[in-house]
């Protein structure tokens, strides 16, 4: 079974631009979560999607948004990029068969975003 | 507030045993995870504890005490490839609650020396 995939793997943008990152979960997994990882802050939870609905949200500004499609693939968007948005963005999927969000999360390789 | 504490860095010797501690203060508790992350790679799942006690999985074991808000990851027969960051994470909400999320500690960078 293929793992979680994320595209692109690397991205360079300038301040003020917007960016869209994509995540394909493990086949059969219905829950997708997004995290931002920086050396100073560690892994920070952005949001979680399940069955095309945002189920939970972390403490990030409204410039960070996401969505999930019917095939469970997910995208996250960051508008009006700031220098501080430079980070590794990780996507994780879990099975969550009945909607219970207790299952182990499996991470993708991440997208490294650099904002200049 | 919600807080997860673990040492920033540890060093150990190949073949030895090391224990990485994690303490947590969260509004709720529904399980504790340990992940391993090699530099430049994604975290990979190591263990999950939801009840008190020790869970053993090969060279790795994880312990949980819910009353003390404490967990540790024990690595035996250390190998050079065990050099990585180890992340402690807690699910803070009840089962089936849409309000629950996973909170990660900042990670412990473990260096193994020959």
């Amino acid at each position: 079974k293929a793992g979680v995939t994320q595209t692109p793997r690397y991205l360079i943008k300038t301040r003020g631009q917007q960016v869209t990152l994509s995540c394909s979960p493990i086949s059969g997994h219905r829950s997708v979560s997004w995290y931002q990882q920086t050396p100073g802050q560690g892994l920070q939870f952005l949001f979680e999607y399940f069955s095309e609905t945002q189920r939970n949200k972390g403490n990030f500004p409204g410039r960070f948004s996401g969505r999930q499609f019917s095939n469970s693939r997910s995208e996250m968007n960051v508008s009006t990029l700031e220098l501080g948005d430079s980070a590794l963005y990780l996507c994780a999927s879990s099975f969550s068969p009945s909607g219970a969000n207790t299952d182990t999360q499996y991470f993708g390789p991440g997208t490294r975003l650099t904002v200049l | 507030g919600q807080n997860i504490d673990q040492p920033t860095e540890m060093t150990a010797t190949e073949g030895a045993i090391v224990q990485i501690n994690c303490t947590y203060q969260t509004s709720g508790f529904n399980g504790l995870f340990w992940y391993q992350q090699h530099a430049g790679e994604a975290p990979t799942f190591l263990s999950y504890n939801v009840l008190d006690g020790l869970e053993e999985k090969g060279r790795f074991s994880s312990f949980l005490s819910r009353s003390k808000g404490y967990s540790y990851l024990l690595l035996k027969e250390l190998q050079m490839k065990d050099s990585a960051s180890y992340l402690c994470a807690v699910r803070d909400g009840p089962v089936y609650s849409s309000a629950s999320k996973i909170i990660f500690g900042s990670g412990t960078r473990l260096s193994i020396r020959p």
Side-chain angles (χ1 to χ4, degrees):
Chain A
K1 199 182 261 192
V4 179
T5 59
Q6 292 186 245
T7 57
R9 293 293 311 277
Y10 301 91
L11 204 51
I12 298 176
K13 291 285 188 179
T14 56
R15 279 181 297 176
Q17 287 188 307
Q18 75 158 19
V19 66
T20 299
L21 311 181
S22 180
C23 170
S24 292
I26 293 171
S27 178
H29 283 195
R30 295 165 63 189
S31 170
V32 173
S33 296
W34 288 90
Y35 295 87
Q36 181 195 67
Q37 187 174 35
T38 58
Q41 297 293 319
L43 263 170
Q44 303 285 312
F45 173 75
L46 280 157
F47 27 64
E48 179 191 8
Y49 286 88
F50 178 79
S51 291
E52 302 177 65
T53 302
Q54 187 180 86
R55 186 156 70 176
N56 207 345
K57 191 177 189 306
N59 297 322
F60 277 81
R63 300 185 296 109
F64 292 80
S65 63
R67 59 177 175 170
Q68 187 180 34
F69 302 95
S70 58
N71 61 358
S72 294
R73 191 177 70 85
S74 177
E75 289 181 347
M76 68 162 280
N77 183 277
V78 189
S79 62
T80 320
L81 283 166
E82 301 176 359
L83 294 178
D85 297 333
S86 294
L88 180 67
Y89 290 87
L90 290 162
C91 159
S93 76
S94 62
F95 183 40
S96 211
S98 58
N101 49 6
T102 59
D103 288 338
T104 298
Q105 295 187 330
Y106 297 88
F107 285 84
T111 295
R112 184 160 299 280
L113 171 65
T114 301
V115 182
L116 302 176
Chain B
Q2 317 228 69
N3 199 42
I4 297 180
D5 286 318
Q6 48 182 133
T8 304
E9 293 190 34
M10 298 183 71
T11 303
T13 304
E14 190 177 15
I17 299 173
V18 71
Q19 178 175 311
I20 302 174
N21 296 324
C22 170
T23 57
Y24 62 89
Q25 288 179 307
T26 54
S27 55
F29 179 83
N30 194 45
L32 186 143
F33 302 82
W34 283 97
Y35 285 85
Q36 179 191 60
Q37 186 176 25
H38 285 101
E41 298 181 12
T44 55
F45 170 77
L46 288 177
S47 68
Y48 172 67
N49 295 69
V50 66
L51 300 176
D52 291 349
L54 189 68
E55 295 278 343
E56 296 187 77
K57 193 185 292 186
R59 295 190 298 115
F60 293 5
S61 302
S62 57
F63 171 83
L64 175 67
S65 169
R66 288 172 296 171
S67 62
K68 296 181 180 178
Y70 168 70
S71 172
Y72 67 72
L73 180 69
L74 192 71
L75 291 77
K76 305 175 187 175
E77 301 169 17
L78 285 169
Q79 302 175 9
M80 297 303 293
K81 67 178 182 179
D82 297 329
S83 292
S85 288
Y86 291 85
L87 308 174
C88 173
V90 171
R91 189 179 289 284
D92 72 347
V95 180
Y96 301 105
S97 167
S98 62
S100 106
K101 56 186 179 291
I102 295 182
I103 303 164
F104 280 82
S106 297
T108 298
R109 191 181 312 170
L110 176 65
S111 300
I112 309 299
R113 55 177 177 239

